[in-house]
Amino acid sequence: MKRSILTGWLCSLLALMGACDFIAQRDLRPGQSTVEEVRKLMGKPGTIWEERDGSQVFEYARGPEGSETWMVEIGPDGVYRGMENALAPGNLARVRAGMSRDDLRRMLGKPGSEESFPALGEVVWTWRVKGDVVATEMFHAHLDAQGRVVRTSRSPDPNLLKGG
């Protein structure tokens, strides 16, 4: 009981920094932990995706400042199956021209920002991600007027350029 209260308090205190995600990865057991334990450790999900088989995926976007979006799988039986970072390099590499806005949103989670460029006919969704060379960088998905991915690009993290 004492450990549970301490863990909950610590998660509340450190949630903005993503430390709670580390605790959740350490303490949650696929096939054993319950949906209640997930919520206790990780909080309320930003989005809940309903799957055809009755399972759910809880989305925990840690942006705009964080570089992780955790997709937590919950089986139809309410049991935790596992979690993955949607902003991992392998997942970013799966973004392709022609993808719909909805498919992109489902794959990467909520973007940290959205900016419209009317002269170009584009909307750009941006996520802060872990970079190869520097600690973080920005990943951009450029969407056309129909909401389809045209291309992706990367840029330096403006926080790092400012010395932040």
Side-chain angles (χ1 to χ4, degrees):
M1 174 76 172
K2 219 179 212 181
R3 180 177 179 219
S4 177
I5 292 171
L6 179 61
T7 300
W9 178 81
L10 184 60
C11 283
S12 296
L13 181 65
L14 301 175
L16 292 175
M17 298 183 330
C20 191
D21 301 330
F22 171 77
I23 292 169
Q25 286 179 326
R26 185 192 69 202
D27 290 354
L28 294 173
R29 302 281 181 247
Q32 296 175 10
S33 298
T34 66
V35 67
E36 291 81 17
E37 290 171 295
V38 170
R39 287 178 183 269
K40 186 181 201 179
L41 286 173
M42 298 193 71
K44 180 182 177 186
T47 302
I48 298 176
W49 300 95
E50 301 288 339
E51 304 292 350
R52 291 181 191 182
D53 66 355
S55 63
Q56 298 177 316
V57 176
F58 289 5
E59 178 184 319
Y60 293 94
R62 299 308 189 204
E65 295 301 318
S67 60
E68 297 171 334
T69 292
W70 294 101
M71 299 294 190
V72 178
E73 295 180 51
I74 306 296
D77 56 357
V79 176
Y80 168 75
R81 289 183 176 169
M83 63 191 288
E84 292 186 6
N85 179 12
L87 300 179
N91 210 35
L92 296 174
R94 293 178 42 222
V95 176
R96 297 280 181 250
M99 285 180 78
S100 74
R101 171 189 316 262
D102 293 340
D103 289 341
L104 180 64
R105 173 68 174 80
R106 175 66 178 87
M107 181 188 292
L108 300 184
K110 182 179 178 182
S113 68
E114 178 177 326
E115 194 167 354
S116 182
F117 296 92
L120 298 174
E122 285 186 347
V123 171
V124 179
W125 286 3
T126 300
W127 293 263
R128 179 171 275 108
V129 299
K130 291 183 179 155
D132 293 332
V133 179
V134 294
T136 56
E137 62 186 13
M138 308 313 283
F139 178 85
H140 312 282
H142 302 253
L143 304 159
D144 64 17
Q146 289 73 43
R148 297 271 175 195
V149 174
V150 177
R151 64 188 171 92
T152 64
S153 64
R154 291 178 183 250
S155 64
D157 184 338
N159 288 347
L160 296 177
L161 295 175
K162 294 181 218 174

